[in-house]
Amino acid sequence: MTRFPRPAEGTWTEHHPELGTGPVSFEDSTSPAFYERERAAIFERAWLNVGRVEQLPRNGSYFTKNLPGLRTSVIVARNPDGRVRAFHNVCRHRGNKLVWEGTPRDETCGRARQFVCKYHGWRYDLDGACTYVHQPGEFFDLPEDGLGLAPIHSDIFAGFIFVNLARELRQTLRDYLGPMVGALEGYPFDAMTERYSFRAENDSNWKVFIDAFQEYYHVPPLHTHQLGPTPEAQNPEYEFEGAHYQLDGPHRLVTTSGTHKHHWPAEHLYPAEALTRSGSTGPWDAPDLGETLPGVNPSGISRWGIDNFQVFPNLEILIYERGWFVTYRYWPTSHNTHVFEGDLHFVPAKNARERLAHEYAALTFKEYGLQDCGTLDGTQMGLEQGAFDSFFLNDQEILVRHFHKTVGEWVDAFDRAQPGSPKR
Ligand code: FES
Ligand SMILES: [Fe+2]
């Protein structure tokens, strides 16, 4: 059986002595108090992905994005100069939610010259400046300026729009992303504009679900059918495995390898896969994306399958060898609930066959997702039962170990920096 080489000596984990190899506590996934600290220490300070530039195709385009659990809605808009800006979605007059359609809880998007508050009619331009106050003479000492929307730090990397809720930035987006994720600059994400979106409210801590996607140790037992419908198809020749792990600051990468299904003998496939030429690793026929694809497969694996870039804290970008990509985002809403968003992106179909291949990949994604989601509340219940203080992680679970350590470090550093902290 082909095993891809681990680091020259030892294991993946032992190459990072700071991680240790001992059992790990998951109290960070069960404690309401820790959840509150985590929100302030991580989600109100880290760069968070809220969308893609393709959602703002023209000057004046805008969308709103709810950040569940953060009690925040953001307006992201492209101003008349083409610059993307982000604001708190709150009217300066009496705090009404400014931009919404349907109900204030729904997200919306569109194109506008200005935003008009539905309550008393104040108006704002796409740079957030207040341009109209209804009956201004009725107010007392209304300042000439300072009536604009509250801006939020925003920046763009490789077409991904990020915001940072901190009042004062500690790091630029590019510095924050570091060299491993930064190497994706120039990857043709912008060619993949046919999008399929899924959203789920899950009964588990957000980290419990992330943990399910940062190891492939669970694949043979949990996703048995995706490995192939016959025992022959599950032989080592077709083995799917986590072949490369990489850490960079708070971010992580796992690269998988395996024989792609389009190379399999037809008798090892589901009939629908052979018919649609698509399946769990996506459409078999890859679009032409050019010769060099920056940033992907950094370890040079010959049977490269998927790169899963895990951008701290809550974004994953999965780039498939077959020329499509998926993003996952996780928004904690309490210590034991979160909202999951999954988006699939393809080069737009040029004909019905390609469209069918995309649709079938999306369908298979949902089946996979349900299998992964299916264990979540069971894991959460088990952890909350408190039967064990710590748990054993193997070498393939190195990213789980790194993730929980990073979360703990961010929370500890934040606590230490608080005025009055005994650790300060
Ligand atoms: S709250 Fe927006 S105009 Fe009054
Ligand atoms: Fe899975």
Side-chain angles (χ1 to χ4, degrees), residues 212-213 218 222-223 372:
F213 290 115
H218 75 273
L222 188 65
H223 303 302
D372 288 309

Side-chain angles (χ1 to χ4, degrees), residues 90-98 116-124 132 134 139:
V90 180
C91 177
R92 183 73 181 91
H93 174 223
R94 263 168 56 199
N96 187 34
K97 185 167 186 175
L98 180 62
V116 183
C117 182
K118 294 176 176 35
Y119 202 172
H120 311 94
W122 285 31
R123 297 179 198 161
Y124 304 86
Y132 175 79
H134 184 54
F139 284 88

Side-chain angles (χ1 to χ4, degrees), residues 379-394:
T379 305
Q380 188 69 33
M381 280 189 248
L383 294 178
E384 288 184 7
Q385 196 158 327
F388 304 105
D389 292 336
S390 60
F391 297 87
F392 300 99
L393 296 180
N394 68 34

Side-chain angles (χ1 to χ4, degrees), residues 139-415:
F139 284 88
F140 311 94
D141 305 322
L142 204 57
E144 280 283 305
D145 50 15
L147 294 181
L149 302 177
I152 294 176
H153 301 290
S154 65
D155 205 349
I156 298 170
F157 168 77
F160 291 90
I161 303 170
F162 286 81
V163 299
N164 191 310
L165 298 178
R167 279 178 198 264
E168 284 182 28
L169 274 187
R170 296 184 308 150
Q171 247 182 333
T172 65
L173 175 63
R174 193 52 207 255
D175 285 349
Y176 176 76
L177 293 175
M180 183 180 78
V181 178
L184 291 173
E185 181 87 74
Y187 184 84
F189 295 111
D190 57 351
M192 302 171 207
T193 53
E194 186 182 311
R195 193 165 82 152
Y196 297 76
S197 299
F198 299 91
R199 182 182 187 278
E201 294 179 12
N202 292 325
D203 287 338
S204 86
N205 185 276
W206 64 292
K207 298 187 291 299
V208 170
F209 205 12
I210 290 184
D211 289 344
F213 290 115
Q214 43 185 5
E215 47 85 1
Y216 291 93
Y217 179 55
H218 75 273
V219 171
L222 188 65
H223 303 302
T224 317
H225 295 295
Q226 264 79 15
L227 292 179
T230 64
E232 299 94 296
Q234 294 175 27
N235 81 30
E237 198 186 331
Y238 304 116
E239 190 186 21
F240 178 82
E241 63 177 338
H244 174 73
Y245 300 91
Q246 195 170 326
L247 308 176
D248 181 20
H251 315 297
R252 302 171 301 283
L253 166 69
V254 53
T255 298
T256 59
S257 69
T259 302
H260 307 298
K261 281 198 173 178
H262 56 284
H263 290 139
W264 287 19
E267 67 269 22
H268 291 164
L269 297 163
Y270 291 124
E273 292 178 288
L275 280 172
T276 58
R277 298 184 57 77
S278 182
S280 54
T281 50
W284 298 355
D285 302 310
D288 182 7
L289 295 175
E291 284 290 290
T292 50
L293 295 175
V296 296
N297 190 16
S299 57
I301 289 166
S302 58
R303 289 190 303 156
W304 174 48
I306 311 166
D307 277 337
N308 182 349
F309 288 87
Q310 311 210 336
V311 183
F312 189 79
N314 68 334
L315 169 68
E316 291 178 36
I317 307 171
L318 291 92
I319 302 175
Y320 287 72
E321 180 271 346
R322 295 280 86 191
W324 61 297
F325 78 99
V326 176
T327 56
Y328 298 157
R329 290 177 296 193
Y330 310 79
W331 301 99
T333 46
S334 79
H335 70 285
N336 59 10
T337 56
H338 73 275
V339 170
F340 169 78
E341 297 169 333
D343 292 275
L344 286 64
H345 306 75
F346 302 97
V347 172
K350 291 188 290 303
N351 52 48
R353 167 170 277 288
E354 287 184 7
R355 179 62 187 263
L356 201 60
H358 298 172
E359 297 272 354
Y360 190 69
L363 190 76
T364 335
F365 167 81
K366 219 160 73 172
E367 186 185 340
Y368 256 124
L370 282 174
Q371 288 169 6
D372 288 309
C373 273
T375 62
L376 289 183
D377 45 353
T379 305
Q380 188 69 33
M381 280 189 248
L383 294 178
E384 288 184 7
Q385 196 158 327
F388 304 105
D389 292 336
S390 60
F391 297 87
F392 300 99
L393 296 180
N394 68 34
D395 198 29
Q396 292 180 49
E397 292 165 307
I398 176 177
L399 301 191
V400 177
R401 195 182 283 281
H402 172 266
F403 178 43
H404 288 266
K405 182 167 187 289
T406 304
V407 166
E409 285 171 353
W410 274 57
V411 170
D412 283 347
F414 180 76
D415 286 353

Side-chain angles (χ1 to χ4, degrees), residues 46-156:
W47 284 98
L48 305 171
N49 171 242
V50 291
R52 292 260 330 151
V53 286
E54 292 80 26
Q55 294 170 257
L56 302 172
R58 289 175 290 190
N59 295 353
S61 295
Y62 69 89
F63 65 86
T64 66
K65 174 80 186 126
N66 295 335
L67 307 185
L70 291 167
R71 296 182 286 256
T72 299
S73 168
V74 181
I75 305 169
V76 185
R78 194 183 283 282
N79 77 4
D81 302 329
R83 201 178 140 213
V84 173
R85 303 202 56 185
F87 305 96
H88 283 278
N89 189 3
V90 180
C91 177
R92 183 73 181 91
H93 174 223
R94 263 168 56 199
N96 187 34
K97 185 167 186 175
L98 180 62
V99 182
W100 53 271
E101 291 301 328
T103 81
R105 295 189 186 285
D106 295 334
E107 293 175 345
T108 185
C109 62
R111 195 173 178 209
R113 286 209 191 92
Q114 58 183 0
F115 302 120
V116 183
C117 182
K118 294 176 176 35
Y119 202 172
H120 311 94
W122 285 31
R123 297 179 198 161
Y124 304 86
D125 67 19
L126 294 164
D127 285 305
C130 181
T131 55
Y132 175 79
V133 173
H134 184 54
Q135 297 176 342
E138 295 294 313
F139 284 88
F140 311 94
D141 305 322
L142 204 57
E144 280 283 305
D145 50 15
L147 294 181
L149 302 177
I152 294 176
H153 301 290
S154 65
D155 205 349
I156 298 170

